[in-house]
Amino acid sequence: MIETGFIGLVAIPAGLGLFGFIEPCTIGTSLVFIKYLEGKDASVKVLETAVFAATRSIFIGLLGVLAVLIGDTFLDLQRHAWLVLGALYVLLGVLLATGQSRFFTRSIGPGLRRLSGYRGSVGLGLLFGLNIPACAAPLLIALLATAAASSGVTIAKGFTALAVFGLGLSIPLVVAVLVPRARGWLERIASLSGRYPAIAGLVLIALGGWSIWFGLFADLKAGTSAS
């Protein structure tokens, strides 16, 4: 059960989110978003990263509500999200590894910028909000275990816990963009796709393969009965 206090609704979800930032299924998300920011002014990077983080957090919070409402079925939906996003990483990785970096930049960078304003960041926040990493499985299972509670309280718990988790998942990116030295480090990472496209592509393919493997073979429901 998820407790209603600070530890259960804030501390644990935030900690899991921070840990999830370094998991393979979310590293691909960070790499794609960093590539999207490439070439933009520092102030624009900060604002768009904040929009991305807020959108992702709210969307994941709504997924928490959905998890409470539909129960175990949500785990199947999450499995499909891992498969779809894993396939996306593999596709982008193949484009890079085969020398199609111009297509990659045109599709992921300027292509999204043409959406005007911060729609690109909002769109990525929604898309990658579906990629709830493996470390959140215990949190999702705990949410499902509270489904028997009164609907209003359970829905509030579901949104708060998952929204805080989503914020923790994106905070490292926000901090990295705010700190000039870290921002330079991010730009160097983004530039690797241009200097060493084959290596960057293979990294994305490997991360996508991991996400697909997890979506196919992870046994998430094994812990639901224990909860």
Side-chain angles (χ1 to χ4, degrees), residues 21 24 26-37 89 92 104 108 128 173 186 189-190 192-193 200 203-204 207:
F21 179 77
T26 50
I27 291 176
T29 298
S30 300
L31 291 177
V32 172
F33 186 70
I34 290 169
K35 182 65 180 178
Y36 167 69
L37 293 176
Y89 296 155
L92 296 179
F104 176 82
I108 300 302
F128 295 133
L173 267 181
L186 289 180
I189 292 177
L192 289 177
S193 63
V203 169
L204 274 176
L207 294 173

Side-chain angles (χ1 to χ4, degrees), residues 13-14 16-19 21 57 163-172:
L16 288 173
L18 291 172
F19 178 73
F21 179 77
S57 176
V164 171
F165 168 80
L167 189 60
L169 198 61
S170 303
I171 281 296

Side-chain angles (χ1 to χ4, degrees), residues 10 14-15 28 42-43 46 51 61 88 108 122 146 149-150 187 206 209 218:
V10 178
S43 60
V46 171
V51 170
L88 173 64
I108 300 302
V122 170
T146 64
S150 60
E187 290 177 352

Side-chain angles (χ1 to χ4, degrees), residues 4 7 18 43 51 59 67 71 107 127 146 149 177 179 189 198 210 214:
T4 57
I7 293 178
L18 291 172
S43 60
V51 170
F59 184 67
S107 300
L127 174 63
T146 64
V177 171
V179 178
I189 292 177
W210 188 94
F214 199 85

